[in-house]
Amino acid sequence: MELRLYLNLLRRWWWLALLPAIVIGGIGLATYDRPPTTYGTTVRFTASLPPTVTGDGGFDPNYYSWLTSEYIVGSLSDWIKNGAFAQAVSDELAAQGKTISAPAVQASLASDYVRSQLVLFVNTGSADDTRAIAEAAIKVLQVRNADAFPQLGGVNAVVNALDTPNVGASSPGLRSMLDLPIRLGLGLAVGLGLAFAAHYLDPFIRSKDDVELLGLKTLGEIPKVK
C-alpha cells in the first residue's frame, strides 16, 4: 500500500484511531494521583577480619585482608536482602522504642557491592523512618554479622560505615512518570489497529483507488463538489 493510501485511510478513520487514546487519556487524567514523596539515604561500608599471621609463612597479610573483604561484603549484601536481616533490624528498632514491622523494613532495603565496598540503600515514605531504619541496619551489620555467617567462627567482622545516613527526598521513579504516556501510546496503537480493521471490513467503495484495488478499471470519476 502506497503512503498516499495510508494517509487517505487515516484521513477517513482518524476519529476511530484517536478514540481509544482520548478515552484512556481522559480516564488517566481523572484518576491521576501524584506519586508520593519518598525519602532515601545511601550508606557505604567496608568490612574485613583482622589479618592473622601464623609462623614464618612469608605471605602478605594485607593481600588476604583485602581478599576477605570482598567475600564478606558480598555475603553482607545477600544477608541484607533476606527476611532474617529485616527481622533483626525490626528488633533493633523495637529496642529503641520504634515499631516498624519486618516486612516494612525489608521493603525499604536494597543493597549492592563493588569490590570491597558494601552499599546499603534505604527508601521509605517518611524521613524519620528512613533515618531510623538506616541507623538500626548499621548497628545490626556491625554487631550481629557473626550470627548470620558461621564461617566467621563466632567473631564479628569489622564493619565500618563510611557515610552517615543523610536523608533526602527522592525523585519519583521513571515508571510513575512514564505511566500515562505509555497508556496513551498503547491507546493510539489500539486505535490504529481499529482504523485498519475498519478499512479492511468497510463494504463501501469510496474512491477510484478502492475500485482499482479490486482489479477493475475506472472509466471516470465524479469529482466532489466544493
Side-chain angles (χ1 to χ4, degrees):
M1 186 182 289
E2 297 179 2
L3 179 60
R4 177 174 57 85
L5 298 180
Y6 280 116
L7 294 176
N8 289 337
L9 184 154
L10 293 176
R11 189 181 299 115
R12 182 179 304 163
W13 300 103
W14 63 269
W15 59 272
L16 188 58
L18 293 179
L19 183 61
I22 293 173
V23 172
I24 292 175
I27 295 174
L29 290 175
T31 59
Y32 176 77
D33 288 326
R34 185 176 181 179
T37 301
T38 59
Y39 299 88
T41 186
T42 301
V43 183
R44 297 170 300 155
F45 299 85
T46 59
S48 184
L49 288 174
T52 301
V53 182
T54 57
D56 191 18
F59 65 87
D60 182 5
N62 291 323
Y63 167 78
Y64 290 98
S65 181
W66 279 103
L67 186 63
T68 303
S69 296
E70 295 189 25
Y71 289 121
I72 292 177
V73 297
S75 299
L76 292 176
S77 178
D78 293 335
W79 183 34
I80 288 172
K81 298 172 184 176
N82 65 43
F85 181 81
Q87 185 61 58
V89 173
S90 180
D91 293 342
E92 179 62 30
L93 290 167
Q96 299 173 10
K98 190 173 184 66
T99 302
I100 301 179
S101 67
V105 170
Q106 189 170 13
S108 71
L109 297 175
S111 64
D112 197 1
Y113 67 95
V114 180
R115 289 293 183 178
S116 297
Q117 281 195 356
L118 168 69
V119 186
L120 171 69
F121 306 95
V122 184
N123 288 277
T124 74
S126 164
D128 291 338
D129 287 353
T130 299
R131 182 176 293 103
I133 290 174
E135 292 174 349
I138 291 172
K139 187 171 183 180
V140 170
L141 284 169
Q142 290 177 333
V143 304
R144 297 185 59 176
N145 59 75
D147 298 340
F149 307 112
Q151 59 268 39
L152 295 177
V155 179
N156 280 316
V158 179
V159 178
N160 295 316
L162 302 179
D163 308 292
T164 57
N166 295 319
V167 179
S170 303
S171 60
L174 183 62
R175 179 177 178 181
S176 62
M177 292 188 292
L178 294 179
D179 184 60
L180 186 57
I182 289 175
R183 292 186 183 186
L184 290 175
L186 291 175
L188 186 58
V190 171
L192 290 174
L194 290 176
F196 278 97
H199 175 75
Y200 179 77
L201 299 174
D202 185 11
F204 297 102
I205 295 176
R206 301 176 184 272
S207 68
K208 73 172 185 177
D209 294 329
D210 295 338
V211 175
E212 292 172 353
L213 287 175
L214 297 175
L216 303 175
K217 293 183 179 180
T218 55
L219 299 178
E221 183 179 13
I222 301 174
K224 292 183 178 180
V225 178
K226 296 184 180 181

